[in-house]
Amino acid sequence: IRRDPNRPRSRASWAAVAAVLALVGGGVAWKATGVGRRLPQIEVGLVRRAGSGDAGTMLSASGYILPDRKADVSSKVFGRLEWTGVDAGSKVKKDEVIARLANADVAAQVEEAKAALLDAEREYARWKRITDEGIEPKERLDKADTQLQLVRARLKQAEAAFEYTLIRAPFDGVVVKRLAQAGEMVGPIAGGGSSAGSICTLVDRASLEMVADVNETHIAKVSAGQKVEVTADALPDRKYRGEVRQVVPTADRQKGIVQVKIRLLDADEALLPE
C-alpha cells in the first residue's frame, strides 16, 4: 500500500503498538520467574466501630445517685428534745434509740400504773379465794377481774406514751443530716417535702440507685433487667455495674425525658447520695 508521504503519522497507533509489546513482554517475564504461581495471603479480622465507649452501648444518659429509702426521722408526739445520739455520718441500726424527748413525767406515770397493777392483782386473788370458799357471790369476783383488766390497759397506755418519747431508727442506714439540737421543740411531721420538726435525715445506703433522664425518643431501647455501666463525675476512674430496675411509667413533657431507675450492684462508700 502506497502511503502519502506528506500525510502525518498517527501517534495513537504507535502507542497501541507499544502497549501490546509491553503486555507480551510482561507475560513472558511472569511465566519465567514463576510469580504467577504464588497467591497473595489475605489476613481477615473483625471490624469494630471505634469510640470512647463499649461497642455494645445502646445509649448514654445522665442523672443523679439517689436513695430509694430516705426518711426524715421525727417523734410521734410534740416535746422538748432532751438528748440526741447521732450526727452527720453516724451509722445506725433498725430500732436503735437515736434521740429522746423529756419524759420524766411519763416515766412517773408508768411507775404509778405498775403499782396500781400490783394492787389490782392482790385484790383479785383475795376475792377469788373468798369466792372459792363460798363466802361471797361470784359477781364480786367478776368486778375485781374487770378492775384488773382496766389497770393493765392503763399500764399499756402509759408504757406506749413513754415509748413515744424515744425516737428510734426506722431502718439500717447512715445519718446524712442532723436537723435538731438538744433543747429544741420537735414533733410529728406530715411529709410533703418539709422536714420541720424532725431530728435527722436517714438514708439506706443499700438502696442507692441512679435515676437517669432518658430522652423520650430513645426510651423504646430501654427495658427492665438491662445491664448498665455507671460513672460519676467525682470518680471518673471508677465504673459501677448496674441494671435497669424500673422505667417510670410517665414522661416530663416539658423536658422531653422519661426517668429510668437503675439498681447499683457494687456501690461502695465513695459513692454519695445526690
Side-chain angles (χ1 to χ4, degrees):
I1 301 175
R2 294 182 179 273
R3 299 184 179 276
D4 186 356
N6 295 325
R7 182 180 178 183
R9 295 180 177 272
S10 174
R11 293 182 179 180
S13 60
W14 284 110
V17 172
V20 171
L21 292 176
L23 288 174
V24 172
V28 172
W30 184 65
K31 288 184 175 295
T33 59
V35 175
R37 292 190 295 271
R38 296 196 301 270
L39 298 179
Q41 296 182 356
I42 301 175
E43 183 178 355
V44 181
L46 178 63
V47 179
R48 301 180 66 183
R49 179 177 297 179
S52 59
D54 189 358
T57 301
M58 297 177 63
L59 61 89
S60 299
S62 60
Y64 293 92
I65 302 298
L66 300 173
D68 186 51
R69 296 184 72 188
K70 177 181 177 181
D72 290 325
V73 184
S74 64
S75 62
K76 295 182 179 180
V77 295
F78 288 98
R80 180 176 59 85
L81 188 62
E82 186 177 62
W83 169 82
T84 176
V86 294
D87 204 344
S90 299
K91 296 182 179 181
V92 299
K93 295 293 184 179
K94 182 180 180 181
D95 295 330
E96 178 183 348
V97 177
I98 60 177
R100 182 181 66 246
L101 301 181
N103 58 6
D105 55 340
V106 184
Q109 292 175 8
V110 173
E111 294 303 320
E112 181 181 359
K114 288 180 178 179
L117 177 60
L118 289 175
D119 185 63
E121 289 175 343
R122 286 194 296 264
E123 187 70 8
Y124 175 80
R126 187 171 68 87
W127 282 106
K128 187 176 186 307
R129 185 176 64 254
I130 294 174
T131 303
D132 292 343
E133 293 175 357
I135 301 175
E136 291 288 342
K138 190 175 180 300
E139 288 78 5
R140 191 64 185 84
L141 178 62
D142 293 340
K143 290 182 180 181
D145 181 61
T146 301
Q147 185 64 26
L148 176 60
Q149 299 304 321
L150 289 174
V151 173
R152 285 175 176 171
R154 294 192 189 104
L155 176 59
K156 289 182 179 180
Q157 186 178 13
E159 290 175 339
F162 181 82
E163 180 64 26
Y164 287 166
T165 65
L166 305 178
I167 295 90
R168 300 180 182 272
F171 49 80
D172 295 353
V174 178
V175 176
V176 296
K177 188 184 298 183
R178 189 174 69 176
L179 303 172
Q181 302 285 347
E184 296 184 25
M185 294 298 295
V186 295
I189 58 176
S194 175
S195 59
S198 59
I199 287 86
C200 65
T201 300
L202 186 64
V203 165
D204 181 6
R205 285 194 56 86
S207 70
L208 286 183
E209 61 185 11
M210 178 185 179
V211 180
D213 296 332
V214 179
N215 191 290
E216 60 184 358
T217 59
H218 302 310
I219 197 61
K221 300 178 181 179
V222 183
S223 60
Q226 284 180 322
K227 301 303 179 183
V228 181
E229 186 179 82
V230 179
T231 59
D233 292 340
L235 306 166
D237 298 331
R238 179 74 166 89
K239 295 182 179 181
Y240 298 91
R241 295 182 300 108
E243 65 178 15
V244 176
R245 181 177 72 84
Q246 179 191 24
V247 178
V248 178
T250 185
D252 187 329
R253 62 181 180 180
Q254 294 181 345
K255 297 181 180 180
I257 57 96
V258 177
Q259 285 192 334
V260 176
K261 296 185 177 182
I262 299 166
R263 180 185 295 107
L264 299 175
L265 303 178
D266 55 353
D268 54 21
E269 295 292 332
L271 200 61
L272 303 178
E274 305 289 344

